[in-house]
Amino acid sequence: MYATHSFWFEALFWWYNVKQAKGPGVTSALTWNELKEHIMEKFCHKIEKDKIEREFIQLQAGTMTHRQYTTKFYEMARLLPEHVKPEAKRVKRYVQGLPPRIRELVRISAPKTYESAIALSAIAYEEDGKITSDNKMK
């Protein structure tokens, strides 16, 4: 109920049509997962999902900051849960997208959880920045 009250514009009009077609009793009995499926069917077409999937598979931190990369990874992983389950797969995919020097530092620590991979990569980014700054000053 809360989620559907948050809909705006096109999503709101779509939801009113669903309620009219199925009836308020049926729509209020939908589980969260059922509602997500309906939303994905309507607003995330196969072509768009395939594009996001390709972007996610090729996601590299590159010149992004740690926060930017982690946020982008989280956003894309949320849309493609099949690519990050189980936890070990999520960790592996996250670490693969890190810059090479950071990636190696994180891999050495062998994080078991996504949260630990994020924490380790944050430390590695910070240390790498210090090393880079020291080298520039020399």
Side-chain angles (χ1 to χ4, degrees), residues 29-95:
L30 288 174
T31 66
W32 175 247
N33 286 332
E34 291 169 336
L35 177 61
K36 283 194 313 187
E37 283 179 33
H38 286 297
I39 292 170
M40 292 295 279
E41 283 175 19
K42 174 64 180 168
F43 295 103
C44 193
H45 301 285
K46 174 107 172 85
I47 293 169
E48 292 169 352
K49 189 170 180 181
D50 289 346
K51 180 182 173 200
I52 293 168
E53 188 174 10
R54 280 191 305 277
E55 286 178 26
F56 186 54
I57 289 168
Q58 297 171 357
L59 180 63
Q60 296 290 315
T63 59
M64 287 188 250
T65 66
H66 177 260
R67 183 179 304 236
Q68 289 169 332
Y69 171 67
T70 302
T71 300
K72 182 76 170 172
F73 182 91
Y74 176 75
E75 289 170 354
M76 296 182 97
R78 191 170 46 93
L79 295 171
L80 302 162
E82 64 276 9
H83 286 274
V84 292
K85 288 185 182 175
E87 181 80 357
K89 194 173 181 181
R90 179 185 301 262
V91 170
K92 182 178 179 182
R93 186 163 298 282
Y94 177 79
V95 172

